[in-house]
Amino acid sequence: EPEVTQTPSHQVTQMGQEVILRCVPISNHLYFYWYRQILGQKVEFLVSFYNNEISEKSEIFDDQFSVERPDGSNFTLKIRSTKLEDSAMYFCASSTNTGVLREQYFGPGTRLTVT
Amino acid sequence: QKEVEQDPGPLSVPEGAIVSLNCTYSNSAFQYFMWYRQYSRKGPELLMYTYSSGNKEDGRFTAQVDKSSKYISLFIRDSQPSDSATYLCAMSVGRTGNQFYFGTGTSLTVIP
């Protein structure tokens, strides 16, 4: 069964450093998303991406964040200058362009620890 | 304003019990209602979804939506230890690339 994959599974970085989180969505999906989940808190939407542009973003997704689909398979989230409060689990999700509900399939997540 | 409210639990039940999980919401524009299951340190996995009001059944799982009360429920019949996980409700306004609004999740443990 096709699945969303994410790398790395765990990333440790120092405050102020740039990190890139990588995702490979399901191959025939056209919508891509990033969510984050701070430990013990709810899953929060960051951004959705379609047709090579951001279609929606939350107030969390400020100028330090960016997304890119550099090739036909990868979808990345870049955090330019990490802060301690960026420590969280980051989930990538993807969905199709058809169906009653464009169900979002989630990857296993990347745990980001900022020290 | 909290869009979606969900009792975080934890909820502990004996094997075979009927489990009731609930969420309330404030945004009357929500039309799609989902339930996800999340195991520890894993991504959310879609269990069921419903559109607008009504019931939907899938095996041991039944999802209910009451839009007039802004209240949704997930019932698990004949609960199994393998059902032990965190259950997240999620909602969206539309289909097209819309963000999902998640509840905090309810932690469920089914005791053998």
Side-chain angles (χ1 to χ4, degrees), chain A residues 31 33 35 37 41-45 48 55-58 89 91 98-109 111, chain B residues 2-5 32 34 36 38 41-46 49 51 88 92 94-104:
Chain A
Y31 290 88
Y33 312 82
Y35 289 83
Q37 186 176 30
Q41 298 186 26
K42 63 173 66 177
V43 175
E44 298 174 292
F45 171 81
S48 61
S55 55
E56 191 172 359
K57 62 181 181 179
S58 71
M89 194 76 157
F91 293 106
T98 58
V100 173
L101 173 69
R102 298 191 175 114
E103 301 100 288
Q104 296 181 23
Y105 292 85
F106 283 74
R111 180 166 299 281
Chain B
K2 291 187 177 179
E3 297 272 8
V4 182
E5 301 258 18
Y32 293 89
M34 284 73 65
Y36 281 81
Q38 186 177 23
R41 297 182 180 270
K42 299 289 186 185
E45 170 195 11
L46 180 68
Y49 70 87
Y51 170 69
L88 308 166
S92 72
R95 300 186 294 152
T96 310
N98 281 125
Q99 63 173 295
F100 284 9
Y101 295 84
F102 281 84
T104 51

Side-chain angles (χ1 to χ4, degrees), chain A residues 5-95:
Chain A
T5 59
Q6 291 184 243
T7 54
S9 57
H10 191 192
Q11 174 87 49
V12 181
T13 190
Q14 288 190 326
M15 195 168 54
Q17 295 297 304
E18 174 183 287
V19 293
I20 297 176
L21 309 182
R22 302 181 191 280
C23 168
V24 179
I26 294 172
S27 62
N28 64 338
H29 285 185
L30 298 177
Y31 290 88
F32 314 112
Y33 312 82
W34 282 103
Y35 289 83
R36 78 172 185 191
Q37 186 176 30
I38 296 170
L39 187 64
Q41 298 186 26
K42 63 173 66 177
V43 175
E44 298 174 292
F45 171 81
L46 292 178
V47 66
S48 61
F49 190 86
Y50 172 71
N51 200 26
N52 283 318
E53 60 183 23
I54 291 173
S55 55
E56 191 172 359
K57 62 181 181 179
S58 71
E59 61 273 11
I60 302 169
F61 193 87
D62 60 22
D63 291 344
Q64 72 160 342
F65 292 94
S66 62
V67 290
E68 191 178 30
R69 187 152 164 83
D71 52 45
S73 59
N74 290 283
F75 179 51
T76 62
L77 174 69
K78 181 192 289 186
I79 309 175
R80 290 192 184 81
S81 178
T82 51
K83 307 183 185 71
L84 293 176
E85 54 266 35
D86 294 327
S87 295
M89 194 76 157
Y90 287 81
F91 293 106
C92 173
S94 67
S95 66

Side-chain angles (χ1 to χ4, degrees), chain B residues 54-75:
Chain B
N55 294 358
K56 186 173 183 179
E57 190 172 317
D58 183 3
R60 296 185 294 111
F61 298 88
T62 300
Q64 288 184 352
V65 175
D66 181 349
K67 291 192 75 179
S68 63
S69 302
K70 297 192 180 69
Y71 187 88
I72 71 169
S73 301
L74 177 71
F75 297 96

